[in-house]
Amino acid sequence: MRIDIIAVFPEMFEGPFTESIIKRAINKGIVEIGLHNLRDYSTDKHHKVDDYSFAAGAGMVMMIEPVDNCITHLKSQRDYDEVIYMSPDGEMLDQPLCNQLSMKESIIILCGHYKGIDERIREHLITKEISIGNYVLSGGELGAAVLVDSMVRLIPGALGDETSALSDSFQDGLVSPPVYTRPRSYKGWDVPEILLSGNDKLISEWRMEQAIERTKTRRPEMYENFKKS
Ligand code: SAH
């Protein structure tokens, strides 16, 4: 998978992309990530990428031209399946959307800043808009990092144990059952006896019961859908 990210602060990805699973996926060649500083695509001598809003007092807005220049440059190198804009009013990111996007060959992610981006970019250059939640971030970089992490860990080979993504929360319409590790007892806090029984069938039934019970209490709307399926 190829991911190109357009941002005003590309340095913000240092950290999220240089550790753990994403780092390993990059090193294994499972994913290639290109970071593009929007300022490099500005024709202005001060590398300006934003300007005053036509609505008085609304704050600065990201201009069309640098974004268009950058996307045009990227598209001259390869075809893209999606040009995504991170936006608080976009489609809510959830596990089915992560699964769907993780199967794409190549995507562009545009991170907004300030008051947002000129609406004409959204109308003419963007194919999909994604939100990571009903709250406002200062910029799209953190949202893009969340999106990339959630997609990359699903690409076969990214996780050490490939089956582990399948047993994570949301993959089967349920949240994950609780997990434990050694010691069996800590300060008198005991691991449920059944997990120590060695009986795989009973353990798997227990895990399913726990997942259903947790979904019922923590995500009632998800439980309603699970019951219907
Ligand atoms: N004025 C806009 C918010 C701009 S916030 C509004 O009220 O809708 C600046 C940038 O941060 C946005 O352009 C977007 O790229 C990013 N952003 C903010 N909140 C986000 C969210 N919940 N999900 C994804 N991106 C978000």
Side-chain angles (χ1 to χ4, degrees), residues 85-88 110-117 130-133 135-140 143:
Y85 169 52
M86 300 309 301
S87 180
L110 172 64
C111 305
H113 248 280
Y114 318 112
K115 217 41 198 167
I117 64 175
I130 295 180
S131 167
I132 65 157
Y135 42 82
V136 177
L137 303 166
S138 316

Side-chain angles (χ1 to χ4, degrees), residues 157-180:
L159 295 184
D161 171 4
E162 279 188 39
T163 56
S164 74
L166 297 175
S167 63
D168 280 336
S169 288
F170 313 121
Q171 285 296 8
D172 52 5
L174 295 171
V175 300
S176 181
V179 289
Y180 299 86

Side-chain angles (χ1 to χ4, degrees), residues 42-69:
S42 168
T43 48
D44 175 83
K45 65 173 188 290
H46 302 295
H47 305 288
K48 195 167 124 112
V49 292
D50 59 322
D51 210 335
Y52 292 100
S53 165
F54 277 122
M60 302 304 276
V61 175
M62 279 168 59
M63 300 154 76
I64 304 179
E65 203 203 14
V67 174
D68 189 25
N69 287 346

Side-chain angles (χ1 to χ4, degrees), residues 81-219:
D81 299 315
E82 298 283 5
V83 182
I84 297 171
Y85 169 52
M86 300 309 301
S87 180
D89 63 3
E91 183 178 345
M92 201 65 84
L93 184 64
D94 61 8
Q95 200 61 37
L97 183 55
C98 298
N99 291 343
Q100 200 188 313
L101 291 171
S102 72
M103 288 183 274
K104 304 279 182 198
E105 286 274 305
S106 49
I107 58 174
I108 291 175
I109 305 176
L110 172 64
C111 305
H113 248 280
Y114 318 112
K115 217 41 198 167
I117 64 175
D118 190 306
E119 186 65 19
R120 291 168 290 179
I121 299 172
R122 301 174 69 168
E123 283 168 10
H124 300 286
L125 300 173
I126 298 298
T127 61
K128 201 173 200 51
E129 300 185 329
I130 295 180
S131 167
I132 65 157
N134 284 341
Y135 42 82
V136 177
L137 303 166
S138 316
E141 286 86 351
L142 291 175
V146 168
L147 173 61
V148 169
D149 187 298
S150 66
M151 290 186 303
V152 169
R153 65 194 301 287
L154 293 170
I155 304 174
L159 295 184
D161 171 4
E162 279 188 39
T163 56
S164 74
L166 297 175
S167 63
D168 280 336
S169 288
F170 313 121
Q171 285 296 8
D172 52 5
L174 295 171
V175 300
S176 181
V179 289
Y180 299 86
T181 183
R182 287 183 288 186
R184 287 172 174 216
S185 185
Y186 179 80
K187 292 185 177 174
W189 307 334
D190 295 334
V191 171
E193 203 57 45
I194 193 152
L195 292 177
L196 311 173
S197 69
N199 185 327
D200 288 345
K201 184 169 172 286
L202 284 183
I203 292 175
S204 131
E205 281 167 11
W206 179 87
R207 285 172 55 82
M208 185 48 119
E209 276 162 29
Q210 291 286 320
I212 291 175
E213 200 44 47
R214 289 203 157 194
T215 310
K216 217 189 259 183
T217 50
R218 291 166 193 230
R219 294 288 185 277

